[in-house]
Amino acid sequence: MHIRAEAIVLSTRNHGEHGAVARALTREHGVQPGYVRGGRSRRIRPVLQPANLVLGEWRARTGEQLAGLTVELVHSRAALFEEPLPAAALQWATALAAAALPEAQPYPHIFDALSATLDAIEAAPSARGWAAALARYELVVLAELGFGLDLERCVVTGEEDELAFVSPRSGGAVSRGAACGYEAKLLALPPFLREGGTAEWADIFAALKLSEHFLSRDVLVERATDTLAARTRLVDRLRRAVA
């Protein structure tokens, strides 16, 4: 097996005295793990920072063997880890992909969504500029893994107008009229998720609540406690930042 591709580092763990095992997301080959010789060294460890973009080369004699991996830094986001809010966002975005995606299966749309989200976190002057992108990224993960929400028409009436809620059971949109009397049992559907554009903080938090419900129920079932802890820290910090 031989793969050479740009990849987003998702996670690393120490292996042996000097090495590390890194998992990185490529666009065409999905999540690829690899053993990095000297991965704990002062020279290579910063390259393996989650959220960095690297040029990776994986080599293995068989498909069952853990590949040896060499990495070359393409773009570093390590400086963002000095800022608590962007750091929490980067940690959650990469942790979600690491936990949710099976290895060696291509998910180009997730790669593109993650890349765009990381770029937004890096470029935006404040969290307002990237929090909506993070919610959209989570919905892309759900959709690509087969748990996409139907936000195009009302699951009750079939109509496309005044969609304001989502059924927490079916994941289908519900119109304002069909939701009458049941609003407390439904999840809010922020307009920006369907119409695009900018979003107020109330809508951003509603979108994050919406995606969290389905991520914890359908994707992170056995790993929800550990993985969602990073998300909880992020949302708590966002709430404190805008309070």
Side-chain angles (χ1 to χ4, degrees):
M1 187 269 280
H2 180 208
I3 295 173
R4 180 178 170 86
E6 287 193 350
I8 300 168
V9 179
L10 301 180
S11 64
T12 61
R13 60 179 175 84
N14 294 338
H15 186 84
E17 285 190 36
H18 307 290
V21 174
R23 299 179 75 238
L25 177 62
T26 70
R27 193 175 193 279
E28 303 299 332
H29 307 281
V31 174
Q32 292 290 336
Y35 172 74
V36 182
R37 188 182 299 275
R40 297 168 64 179
S41 68
R42 295 178 62 182
R43 181 178 66 86
I44 300 179
R45 187 171 59 217
V47 177
L48 297 179
Q49 174 72 54
N52 280 356
L53 182 67
V54 300
L55 177 62
E57 188 163 6
W58 291 260
R59 292 181 180 272
R61 293 181 179 179
T62 68
E64 293 74 27
Q65 181 184 30
L66 178 64
L69 170 61
T70 58
V71 291
E72 177 184 336
L73 183 64
V74 175
H75 180 69
S76 174
R77 296 186 173 96
L80 291 174
F81 282 86
E82 298 178 3
E83 304 174 43
L85 198 51
L90 295 176
Q91 288 168 350
W92 161 244
T94 52
L96 173 58
L101 302 185
E103 292 179 358
Q105 295 187 28
Y107 290 96
H109 294 307
I110 293 179
F111 179 92
D112 292 342
L114 175 57
S115 181
T117 301
L118 299 178
D119 287 345
I121 294 169
E122 185 174 17
S126 69
R128 177 80 176 272
W130 53 256
L134 186 68
R136 292 191 184 97
Y137 159 63
E138 293 178 345
L139 293 180
V140 170
V141 172
L142 283 165
E144 291 297 303
L145 293 178
F147 302 104
L149 309 186
D150 182 1
L151 306 181
E152 298 303 315
R153 56 188 56 81
C154 177
V155 71
V156 179
T157 65
E159 297 177 354
E160 300 179 2
D161 299 327
E162 294 190 330
L163 302 180
F165 300 93
V166 175
S167 166
R169 301 181 70 178
S170 70
V174 181
S175 68
R176 197 174 300 278
C180 186
Y182 297 94
E183 293 90 343
K185 297 182 179 180
L186 301 172
L187 296 162
L189 173 56
F192 81 92
L193 290 181
R194 297 187 67 248
E195 302 166 6
T198 59
E200 299 298 326
W201 276 113
D203 285 340
I204 291 172
F205 286 122
L208 291 170
K209 181 178 179 180
L210 175 66
S211 54
E212 179 184 17
H213 172 79
F214 293 100
L215 284 172
S216 60
R217 189 192 73 177
D218 298 326
V219 175
L220 302 173
V221 179
E222 298 179 355
R223 296 154 290 186
T225 301
D226 292 338
T227 305
L228 287 174
R231 191 183 192 279
T232 299
R233 289 193 295 270
L234 168 61
V235 175
D236 287 346
R237 285 176 175 170
L238 282 172
R239 292 191 183 279
R240 289 197 299 269
V242 302

